[in-house]
């Protein structure tokens, strides 16, 4: 029997304009210039990301959806072979369009769990609070609005059960390769021995397929990147002229790094509020985001290096994408 729907939300301190300004200023005065990709996700960015997920070139969503919709029972039974009593946490849940299939399967198996989506976007948490109880009547959901590790820290006060952590969409690919093991070690420090984590990894494949996913013909990924400049204009009273920047994604087949840049089309300066000017040379780039691609062996090595045991691989039918299940040692 499912319990009546219970919806709660925990918010961290809201992102302050000061914090946003500080990160933007530090990135744009660095050499080379960069912006943090977590700032893509404001209300407009969330909507554009949903458009990206639906666009034909962005194969990642369909691949992972293939795993979550077609293997939902296999996934649920695998989790249940480890423990019956647990909560589900999702890091960077987005619209939960893949995890919803697993949540549904767990409810059909009458597992008594609470779903804790963690997302930096307040808009996403509000959306999930409405969407999930309508789609899955009886689900217990407690949204956590804030940064991954801040929210995992808060969660310790809320739930002492074992956790199944979902980290989907190859969001792990937004972390630089050299920082991945440290990120995973920090994640592990928030978990209990025996906890499970299911991480989505986009695997190396035909470079033209990969590059097209970040350079779609409809220009949605371009808009997604440009929206961060617009957010800076709106929030920090800046004067980026978006028409004077071009979207330039590049994929390096050897390293597996797909990097998105915005390139200044002329020598120009951009005012950031009353604080000062950022100078751009013609052709100078702002590094926006990395979307790392992996070999299966690399993913197993990450798990072991961070103190997890890889226990099961779930692939889509094309074997383009891997959802790897690890157990906390
Ligand atoms: C690429 S989307 C993936 C969404 C979803 N996991 C999927 O597979 O469709 C990344 C999501 O993570 C959230 N996010 C990004 N950085 C974050 C951070 N540091 N802490 C919490 N959430 C974050 C974004 O707001 C966004 O909803």
């Amino acid at each position: 029997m499912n319990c009546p729907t219970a919806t709660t939300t925990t918010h961290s301190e809201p992102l302050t304009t000061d914090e946003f300004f500080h990160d933007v200023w530090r990135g744009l005065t660095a050499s080379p210039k960069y912006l943090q990709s977590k700032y893509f996700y404001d209300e407009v960015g969330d909507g554009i990301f949903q458009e990206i997920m639906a666009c034909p070139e962005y194969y990642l969503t369909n691949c992972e959806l293939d795993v979550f919709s077609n293997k939902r029972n296999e996934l649920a039974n695998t989790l249940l072979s480890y423990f019956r009593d647990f909560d589900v946490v999702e890091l960077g849940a987005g619209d939960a369009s893949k995890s919803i299939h697993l949540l549904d399967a767990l409810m059909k198996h009458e597992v008594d769990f609470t779903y804790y989506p963690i997302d930096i976007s307040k808009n996403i948490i509000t959306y999930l609070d409405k969407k999930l109880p309508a789609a899955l009547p009886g689900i217990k959901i407690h949204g956590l609005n804030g940064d991954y590790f801040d929210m995992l820290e808060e969660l310790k006060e809320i739930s002492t059960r074992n956790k199944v952590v979902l980290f989907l969409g190859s969001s792990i690919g937004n972390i630089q390769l050299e920082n991945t093991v440290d990120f995973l070690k920090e994640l592990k420090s928030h978990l209990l021995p025996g906890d499970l984590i299911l991480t989505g990894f986009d695997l190396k494949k035909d470079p033209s397929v990969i590059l097209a996913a970040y350079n779609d013909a409809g220009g949605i990924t371009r808009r997604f990147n440009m929206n961060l400049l617009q957010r800076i204009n709106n929030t920090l009273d800046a004067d980026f002229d978006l028409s004077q920047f071009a979207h330039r994604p590049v994929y390096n087949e050897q390293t597996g790094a797909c990097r998105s840049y915005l390139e200044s089309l002329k020598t120009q300066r951009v005012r950031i509020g009353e604080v000062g000017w950022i100078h751009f040379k013609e052709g100078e780039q702002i590094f926006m985001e990395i979307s790392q691609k992996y070999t299966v062996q690399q993913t197993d090595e990450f798990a072991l290096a961070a103190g997890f045991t890889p226990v099961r691989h779930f692939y889509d039918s094309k074997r383009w994408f891997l959802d790897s299940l690890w157990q906390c040692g």
Side-chain angles (χ1 to χ4, degrees):
M1 282 283 288
N2 291 322
C3 304
T5 299
T7 306
T8 325
T9 309
T10 302
H11 295 283
S12 64
E13 289 302 306
L15 172 74
T16 61
T17 306
D18 276 0
E19 197 181 335
F20 182 49
F21 165 75
H22 185 258
D23 286 343
V24 166
W25 185 258
R26 196 172 47 186
L28 293 180
T29 52
S31 178
K33 294 179 169 53
Y34 69 91
L35 289 169
Q36 293 185 34
S37 62
K38 66 178 181 182
Y39 290 123
F40 281 140
Y41 301 93
D42 62 354
E43 196 169 342
V44 178
D46 291 338
I48 305 176
F49 188 70
Q50 289 192 345
E51 287 183 59
I52 289 176
M53 291 203 298
C55 88
E57 292 94 335
Y58 198 76
Y59 60 86
L60 291 83
T61 305
N62 283 341
C63 288
E64 202 171 33
L65 197 52
D66 178 3
V67 177
F68 274 77
S69 58
N70 296 323
K71 297 188 176 160
R72 64 175 85 186
N73 286 320
E74 208 178 318
L75 278 167
N77 285 327
T78 305
L79 302 181
L80 289 167
S81 72
Y82 287 89
F83 31 58
R84 272 213 72 89
D85 194 23
F86 58 85
D87 285 329
V88 179
V89 181
E90 183 161 8
L91 301 179
D95 68 0
S97 53
K98 291 161 280 183
S99 46
I100 196 170
H101 296 281
L102 175 61
L103 301 176
D104 183 35
L106 292 175
M107 289 179 77
K108 295 214 164 90
H109 282 78
E110 301 191 350
V111 181
D112 176 25
F113 67 94
T114 298
Y115 172 59
Y116 293 97
I118 294 178
D119 207 289
I120 200 158
S121 164
K122 184 177 174 192
N123 170 59
I124 277 291
I125 295 297
T126 308
Y127 169 85
L128 291 176
D129 276 348
K130 281 205 191 107
K131 174 186 146 169
L132 283 183
L136 300 175
I139 190 163
K140 286 187 276 182
I141 170 169
H142 184 145
L144 296 162
N145 172 218
D147 218 272
Y148 301 136
F149 296 132
D150 295 340
M151 292 297 99
L152 284 173
E153 200 53 38
E154 296 220 4
L155 185 53
K156 284 184 192 155
E157 306 295 318
I158 303 170
S159 159
T160 52
R161 280 171 150 185
N162 271 114
K163 305 286 182 306
V164 170
V165 177
L166 308 177
F167 192 26
L168 309 184
S170 209
S171 288
I172 193 168
N174 300 143
I175 299 163
Q176 304 267 4
L177 214 46
E178 60 273 24
N179 299 331
T180 303
V181 172
D182 284 345
F183 176 89
L184 291 170
K185 282 183 178 166
E186 184 160 3
L187 176 56
K188 185 171 173 281
S189 74
H190 291 277
L191 304 178
L192 298 172
D195 283 356
L196 296 169
I197 165 161
L198 186 64
T199 308
F201 290 97
D202 192 20
L203 300 177
K204 285 186 171 180
K205 58 185 69 61
D206 179 346
S208 65
V209 171
I210 290 175
L211 195 53
Y214 300 91
N215 201 17
D216 60 290
I220 307 171
T221 42
R222 177 188 174 281
R223 268 198 288 127
F224 185 60
N225 280 269
M226 290 291 178
N227 180 57
L228 181 45
L229 299 190
Q230 188 60 53
R231 184 178 185 182
I232 295 171
N233 279 353
N234 297 345
T235 313
L236 304 179
D237 184 29
D239 68 353
F240 274 104
D241 177 353
L242 274 49
S243 70
Q244 294 307 320
F245 287 85
H247 171 53
R248 302 260 192 256
V250 285
Y251 177 58
N252 181 326
E253 200 177 340
Q254 267 67 47
T255 62
C258 188
R259 292 171 185 270
S260 298
Y261 297 90
L262 289 178
E263 183 176 306
S264 177
L265 293 175
K266 62 176 189 184
T267 296
Q268 56 182 316
R269 61 180 195 168
V270 174
R271 182 181 52 77
I272 310 285
E274 301 298 309
V275 182
W277 299 90
I278 303 292
H279 295 265
F280 288 90
K281 297 191 192 88
E282 184 178 343
E284 190 175 357
Q285 295 181 324
I286 312 172
F287 170 51
M288 304 296 284
E289 185 173 51
I290 183 168
S291 303
Q292 180 67 41
K293 309 302 162 190
Y294 306 89
T295 62
V296 175
Q297 187 185 337
Q298 257 177 321
T299 70
D300 286 344
E301 285 168 1
F302 284 142
L304 294 168
F308 294 95
T309 307
V311 291
R312 182 110 185 238
H313 291 155
F314 297 89
Y315 294 95
D316 66 302
S317 50
K318 289 191 190 136
R319 293 180 86 88
W320 280 7
F321 200 95
L322 166 68
D323 281 292
S324 192
L325 184 66
W326 303 342
Q327 189 165 38
C328 227

